[in-house]
Amino acid sequence: MTTFLAGFSLGLSLILAIGSQNAFVLKQGLKNQYVFVICMVCALSDAILIGFGVAGFGAIVKQFPEIETAARYGGALFLTVYGFLSFKSALTSNHALVSSGESKGSMLEAILMCLAFTWLNPHVYLDTVVLLGSISTQYQPQQTMFAFGAMTASVVFFFSLGYGARFLAPLFKKPKSWKVLEFLVGIVMFSIALSLVVGV
């Protein structure tokens, strides 16, 4: 149980920071669109990456740094484009949350966006594969329990974020609130993209 809690607490601390993936989950939760599927995609993606890290994939990434470089610049490009789209939406759109049953865009589009935010973000690899993978070696022979704790933290966090967003829904019935959110999301995307390019 101690090893499980260590994995849980570390995994939770790594994903608490506001990032592109979390911002996307929050927006889907606010719009009440495919929340369960999006949260599940995020949690499963984290589980796969954590599993790779604990299984030793982190050592491969360290040996072949070009993998990290390619992911870094690809992720920066994607985040920059999405940041521009968020700013454009903040300046030109006048939308607000209406009935929770309304749904715009297909589930496939939402899933692909979610996968892009997850798998094109090098920070995700550094946190789950490299960092968690290397720290898990301290818990031999209970690395599996450590990994399970970190995976559980991802499930708890993403579902709490996705479904907890609905408590903010009344605020986002005002178009101005949605514009502010889009603008803040754009800033987050650009900040992360810049940090990836400069190597911070």
Side-chain angles (χ1 to χ4, degrees):
M1 183 56 69
T2 302
T3 303
F4 173 87
L5 291 176
F8 183 91
S9 58
L10 181 59
L12 190 61
S13 66
L14 290 175
I15 58 178
L16 273 177
I18 297 176
S20 55
Q21 184 189 45
N22 296 349
F24 180 73
V25 174
L26 178 63
K27 286 178 65 176
Q28 291 299 118
L30 285 170
K31 294 186 292 185
N32 197 23
Q33 292 180 9
Y34 317 119
V35 180
F36 179 84
V37 174
I38 294 302
C39 292
M40 185 59 70
V41 168
C42 290
L44 286 177
S45 295
D46 265 13
I48 292 171
L49 290 167
I50 292 169
F52 278 154
V54 173
F57 189 72
I60 298 177
V61 175
K62 286 184 177 180
Q63 188 147 7
F64 299 97
E66 56 268 18
I67 296 176
E68 188 272 336
T69 301
R72 186 198 313 170
Y73 287 104
L77 177 61
F78 173 78
L79 293 173
T80 300
V81 172
Y82 193 87
F84 273 118
L85 293 176
S86 290
F87 281 130
K88 180 182 177 183
S89 178
L91 295 173
T92 63
S93 300
N94 197 36
H95 49 209
L97 289 181
V98 287
S99 61
S100 60
E102 182 182 350
S103 162
K104 296 181 180 179
S106 68
M107 182 185 296
L108 179 60
E109 289 174 349
I111 291 175
L112 290 176
M113 287 294 292
C114 184
L115 289 172
F117 279 123
T118 302
W119 293 88
L120 290 179
N121 182 5
H123 289 162
V124 172
Y125 294 95
L126 293 175
D127 289 347
T128 57
V129 178
V130 179
L131 186 57
L132 283 173
S134 59
I135 293 178
S136 69
T137 59
Q138 302 176 18
Y139 294 90
Q140 292 179 339
Q142 296 180 321
Q143 288 172 288
T144 301
M145 188 58 66
F146 178 87
F148 184 62
M151 293 174 187
T152 303
S154 292
V155 173
V156 171
F157 174 79
F158 286 118
F159 277 90
S160 297
L161 180 63
Y163 284 100
R166 64 183 55 186
F167 293 107
L168 297 174
L171 175 65
F172 285 90
K173 287 183 178 180
K174 302 175 182 178
K176 191 173 182 179
S177 298
W178 195 259
K179 285 178 178 289
V180 171
L181 177 65
E182 292 280 19
F183 187 77
L184 292 176
V185 168
I187 292 177
V188 170
M189 300 303 169
F190 277 151
S191 299
I192 297 174
L194 181 62
S195 71
L196 292 177
V197 172
V198 299
V200 176

